[in-house]
């Protein structure tokens, strides 16, 4: 078999079988297939697409390129959740504890964010002492004793995706649904859970800008998981406006804790409850209404907050973060962003808000950059709110004073203020199973 012939086959729109896909993936990981050949094949996929059979084979081939987590030492159904990412997306911090407090095990392997704001690991690491680098044994023990553990993905998990994603990133081959779906699902399959809920975001702050694209991606990922024997569902949710009122690591942890206390913003709380109910339903806890009631009760009873505190403590963090806001790092400088006009917030560029938070230090421009845990934005006005000239639209937080001006200008450019009050839209667009 030659990589040349497989690239040529895909270029002509023909289908590769599992053996051919394995040849490419294994060869790429061990260096027999060169970067330029893999890049040419990825570009051919961008133009020609892949059949569902090929996407499933590619996903399994990548998943099996490294360690496959064996979670059999954890009793009962393990449910995982994946969000395709967005601005202010801190849902894992809330729904993980909600679901775990109801007896469903959550063994969550997360990545770090690139661009915009940090990922789940960055958020949790803003809690002093919190550790996300755990051995497999410690990870499994914590899931068994607390019900939830959130740990960093090791380099041993899906090496094919690490290498291929880095190549796609610099060869304009990221935006292909077969490649995105197989990349995400290979990591989910290798992480070993029995059921997977996908939160596919769409809108100005999401990877998938239109609902149609998001639904297509969700459908392909659900199908991949089902073919691999997993219980699967996906929600397509709104990311046209940042989720909740905070963007930035420690600020988002604070908001997640408030939400676990039943005092979170309405949009964020609503999305968390919907996701948690769907995870519970996948784990066989009841129908949609019953699971929604269970999720609400986990918050009102304080059980979910208690589980969050136990997770923080067991992973080395300071659990007094629950009651003492001063445990979290606070920025040295703040700046109020003022409304330049009166009217309604007609539209927000959510991605731009993420970039403003990154300029303050909350995210990474390059993979090796460190995040500032205290940096970020507290939004006071979002799409649909009325504003007067001089009202505070948002407050910027950073410990580098010189970052404030650029972030202020970037954030202001994200607000479109005009005479029209936009219609209220739902935060959950579709359900795919
Ligand atoms: N996230 C991933 O993990 N992979 C992609 O290809 C795109 C987003």
């Amino acid at each position: 078999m030659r990589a040349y012939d497989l690239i040529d086959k895909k270029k002509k729109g023909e289908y590769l079988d599992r053996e051919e896909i394995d040849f490419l993936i294994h060869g790429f990981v061990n260096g027999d297939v060169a970067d330029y050949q893999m890049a040419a094949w990825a570009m051919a996929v961008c133009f020609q697409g892949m059949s569902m059979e090929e996407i499933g084979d590619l996903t399994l081939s990548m998943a099996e390129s490294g360690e496959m987590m064996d979670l059999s030492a954890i009793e009962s159904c393990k449910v995982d959740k994946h969000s395709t990412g967005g601005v202010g997306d801190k849902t894992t911090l809330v729904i993980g504890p909600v679901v775990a407090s109801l007896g469903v095990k959550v063994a969550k392997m997360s990545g770090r964010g690139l661009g915009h704001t940090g990922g789940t690991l960055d958020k949790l690491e803003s809690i002093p002492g919190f550790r996300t680098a755990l051995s497999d044994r410690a990870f499994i023990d914590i899931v068994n004793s607390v019900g939830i553990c959130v740990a960093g993905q090791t380099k041993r998990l899906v090496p094919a995706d690490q290498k291929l994603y880095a190549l796609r990133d610099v060869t304009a081959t990221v935006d292909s649904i077969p490649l995105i779906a197989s990349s995400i699902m290979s990591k989910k399959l290798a992480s070993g859970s029995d059921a997977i809920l996908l939160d596919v975001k769409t809108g100005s702050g999401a990877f998938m800008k239109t609902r149609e694209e998001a639904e297509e991606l969700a459908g392909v990922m659900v199908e991949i998981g089902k073919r691999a024997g997993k219980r699967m569902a996906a929600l397509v949710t709104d990311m046209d406006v940042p989720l909740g009122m905070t963007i930035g690591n420690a600020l988002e942890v604070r908001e997640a804790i408030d939400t676990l206390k039943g005092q979170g913003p309405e949009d964020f709380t609503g999305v968390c409850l919907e996701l948690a109910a769907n995870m519970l339903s996948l784990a066989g806890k009841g129908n949609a209404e019953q699971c929604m009631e269970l999720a609400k009760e986990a918050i009102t009873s304080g059980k979910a907050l208690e589980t969050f505190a136990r997770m923080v403590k067991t992973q080395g963090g300071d659990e007094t973060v629950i009651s003492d806001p001063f445990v979290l790092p606070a920025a040295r400088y703040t700046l109020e962003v003022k409304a330049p006009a009166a009217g309604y917030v007609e539209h927000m560029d959510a991605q731009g808000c993420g970039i403003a938070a990154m300029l303050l230090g909350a995210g990474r421009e390059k993979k090796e950059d460190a995040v500032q845990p205290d940096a970020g934005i507290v939004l006071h006005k979002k799409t649909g709110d009325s504003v007067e000239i001089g009202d505070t639209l948002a407050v910027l937080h950073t410990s580098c004073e010189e970052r404030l001006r650029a972030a202020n200008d970037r954030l202001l450019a994200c607000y479109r203020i005009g005479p029209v009050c936009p219609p209220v839209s739902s935060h959950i667009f579709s359900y795919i199973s």
Side-chain angles (χ1 to χ4, degrees):
M1 218 179 276
R2 295 191 318 155
Y4 179 97
D5 299 324
L6 303 182
I7 299 165
D8 191 47
K9 211 168 164 183
K10 188 40 65 190
K11 183 183 78 183
K12 292 175 179 148
E14 292 168 21
Y15 301 120
L16 305 190
D17 63 23
R18 174 70 197 255
E19 203 188 335
E20 291 168 323
I21 287 174
D22 279 345
F23 177 85
L24 278 177
I25 294 298
H26 297 169
F28 181 51
V29 172
N30 68 27
D32 291 344
V33 173
D35 279 7
Y36 49 82
Q37 290 176 308
M38 209 58 194
W41 173 81
M43 188 58 86
V45 170
C46 287
F47 284 109
Q48 295 290 1
M50 292 177 101
S51 69
M52 200 56 237
E53 197 74 30
E54 281 181 298
I55 301 172
D57 286 345
L58 174 62
T59 308
L60 288 177
S61 187
M62 291 210 294
E64 290 163 9
S65 69
E67 178 182 292
M68 301 284 281
M69 280 297 287
D70 176 6
L71 301 183
S72 56
I74 302 170
E75 277 170 27
S76 80
C77 176
K78 279 83 61 184
V79 185
D80 197 356
K81 164 256 169 195
H82 179 82
S83 160
T84 55
V87 180
D89 184 358
K90 60 209 81 84
T91 51
T92 297
L93 308 191
V94 174
I95 63 183
V98 166
V99 168
S101 74
L102 291 158
V104 174
K105 299 286 196 282
V106 181
K108 180 97 183 78
M109 294 267 179
S110 275
R112 291 182 194 280
L114 179 60
H116 301 354
T117 47
T120 302
L121 299 184
D122 299 305
K123 295 176 214 255
L124 283 169
E125 283 172 356
S126 69
I127 302 171
F130 197 99
R131 284 182 298 113
T132 59
L134 301 170
S135 67
D136 292 356
R137 189 68 257 159
F139 178 68
I140 288 171
D141 286 350
I142 296 173
V143 179
N144 269 328
S145 61
V146 181
I148 175 170
C149 184
V150 182
Q153 244 161 244
T154 69
K155 289 222 162 9
R156 301 184 305 275
L157 206 79
V158 199
D161 179 62
Q162 291 170 35
K163 215 172 159 195
L164 185 55
Y165 192 86
L167 192 66
R168 288 166 57 211
D169 209 19
V170 292
T171 55
T173 51
V174 168
D175 60 348
S176 146
I177 285 183
L179 296 181
I180 297 171
S182 52
S183 163
I184 292 174
M185 287 304 295
S186 61
K187 287 171 283 204
K188 293 289 108 186
L189 297 185
S191 299
S193 285
D194 309 302
I196 303 162
L197 178 71
L198 302 166
D199 176 11
V200 182
K201 305 272 185 210
T202 180
S204 65
F207 214 33
M208 298 282 116
K209 300 294 178 207
T210 69
R211 260 174 79 167
E212 291 70 27
E213 283 172 325
E215 282 168 4
E216 188 184 341
L217 177 64
V220 172
M221 291 196 290
V222 165
E223 184 60 28
I224 295 172
K226 284 189 167 173
R227 285 175 184 229
K230 305 290 178 185
R231 282 187 244 166
M232 296 292 305
L235 293 178
V236 174
T237 67
D238 183 30
M239 188 35 74
D240 214 35
V241 181
L243 195 53
M245 303 305 276
T246 59
I247 309 168
N249 302 301
L251 294 170
E252 292 189 44
V253 168
R254 180 85 265 137
E255 188 169 53
I257 293 170
D258 289 344
T259 305
L260 285 165
K261 290 177 177 170
Q263 297 155 8
E266 201 184 314
D267 63 339
F268 178 58
T269 303
V271 170
C272 285
L273 286 172
E274 199 65 50
L275 290 168
N278 275 280
M279 284 174 81
L280 291 167
S281 183
L282 277 178
K285 287 281 178 183
N287 64 28
E289 292 82 49
Q290 290 164 334
C291 289
M292 179 56 85
E293 280 317 304
L294 285 172
K296 286 181 180 165
E297 212 265 326
I299 291 182
T300 50
S301 65
K303 275 196 300 199
L305 184 66
E306 220 173 89
T307 302
F308 179 83
R310 285 181 58 218
M311 174 187 81
V312 169
K313 185 173 179 199
T314 316
Q315 292 195 232
D318 183 347
E319 92 262 37
T320 59
V321 69
I322 307 301
S323 49
D324 181 0
F326 297 107
V327 164
L328 287 167
R332 247 174 293 149
Y333 304 99
T334 58
L335 178 73
E336 294 188 9
V337 179
K338 301 289 189 184
Y344 292 96
V345 178
E346 290 182 343
H347 177 71
M348 283 176 87
D349 167 11
Q351 184 165 341
C353 296
I355 292 170
M358 187 185 74
L359 293 174
L360 291 164
R364 295 180 176 80
E365 236 162 321
K366 295 188 286 338
K367 222 165 53 198
E368 29 322 319
D369 291 347
V371 293
Q372 267 185 43
D374 52 26
I377 302 171
V378 178
L379 300 168
H380 286 221
K381 301 284 183 187
K382 297 211 300 184
T383 304
D385 289 338
S386 67
V387 293
E388 298 297 334
I389 293 184
D391 273 358
T392 301
L393 294 173
V395 180
L396 309 180
H397 291 240
T398 185
S399 288
C400 299
E401 197 174 11
E402 61 279 11
R403 291 174 178 253
L404 288 169
R405 182 132 311 280
N408 178 76
D409 296 348
R410 191 69 187 82
L411 190 66
L412 262 183
C414 297
Y415 280 89
R416 192 178 77 216
I417 298 173
V420 183
C421 181
V424 180
S425 75
S426 159
H427 301 295
I428 313 287
F429 295 135
S430 31
Y431 169 76
I432 291 147
S433 89

